[in-house]
Amino acid sequence: MLTHRSIDTPGMIPITPSICLDDSELEERFIRSPGPGGQKVNKVATAVQLRFDVGCSPSVPVPVKRRLIRLAGRRVSNAGILTLEAHRFRNRERNREDALERLIELIRKASHQSKPRKRTKPTRMSNERRLELKRRRAQTKHRRGAPRWDD
């Protein structure tokens, strides 16, 4: 089901046109799947734990590494190792593909740089509208108070 791999570059996983990961940068560990299950769940390690060292990866440019660490959040350790666990499926191979696809998607998201926001000045009409709404709200709240004798 993995369509990401290219036949002409064995061992390389294409992410974007400029970023390709080497298979040797990924570490897989098979663990027992959490949650409810029958007799099989206690003896078969079908869940996969995929580890990728973001900090030491030569394949990923530095700005993408920074964005990837920010995007991944708690999944990245203090040492800069990104850990993804996949246990959606009952079969080891599909969980492996799932974890790899999630890693690829995360790196693709990190490779897109968002445009910086340009600060703009509010228009005169929007300022006037805002102030008018504030005046109305203040009047409403003023009328809610106890009646005064001097009014």
Side-chain angles (χ1 to χ4, degrees), residues 69-85:
I69 289 171
R70 197 170 346 123
L71 264 175
R74 294 182 324 177
R75 293 175 285 189
V76 178
S77 68
N78 290 336
I81 296 173
L82 172 65
T83 307
L84 292 173
E85 285 189 13

Side-chain angles (χ1 to χ4, degrees), residues 7-144:
I7 297 168
D8 55 344
T9 53
M12 296 298 280
I13 304 164
I15 309 291
T16 66
S18 61
I19 300 173
C20 278
L21 285 183
D22 192 8
D23 272 345
S24 62
E25 294 181 54
L26 304 177
E27 182 187 321
E28 291 176 338
R29 227 175 91 206
F30 295 98
I31 55 176
R32 288 191 186 139
S33 198
Q39 296 168 348
K40 184 182 175 192
V41 81
N42 296 325
K43 59 186 178 181
V44 181
T46 55
V48 69
Q49 192 177 56
L50 183 72
R51 303 180 95 201
F52 173 62
D53 193 348
V54 179
C56 296
S57 174
S59 310
V60 182
V62 176
V64 177
K65 284 181 187 180
R66 282 194 212 112
R67 286 192 295 268
L68 179 60
I69 289 171
R70 197 170 346 123
L71 264 175
R74 294 182 324 177
R75 293 175 285 189
V76 178
S77 68
N78 290 336
I81 296 173
L82 172 65
T83 307
L84 292 173
E85 285 189 13
H87 50 83
R88 270 195 330 189
F89 302 103
R90 298 173 107 188
N91 136 346
R92 184 182 274 201
E93 212 32 59
R94 288 184 65 192
N95 281 330
R96 189 181 199 187
E97 289 173 6
D98 183 40
L100 186 60
E101 286 172 5
R102 285 175 29 211
L103 175 68
I104 290 169
E105 190 57 38
L106 205 57
I107 296 173
R108 278 193 185 136
K109 278 184 186 175
S111 67
H112 293 294
Q113 187 175 7
S114 59
K115 288 184 179 179
R117 182 184 174 276
K118 291 181 183 176
R119 293 185 66 188
T120 57
K121 203 173 178 183
T123 62
R124 184 187 295 173
M125 268 313 289
S126 68
N127 264 342
E128 286 177 18
R129 261 193 311 263
R130 182 178 61 85
L131 293 173
E132 179 58 32
L133 284 171
K134 281 180 78 158
R135 265 187 236 105
R136 278 193 212 150
R137 186 80 180 139
Q139 263 183 344
T140 303
K141 288 189 171 198
H142 180 72
R143 288 189 198 123
R144 283 186 193 153

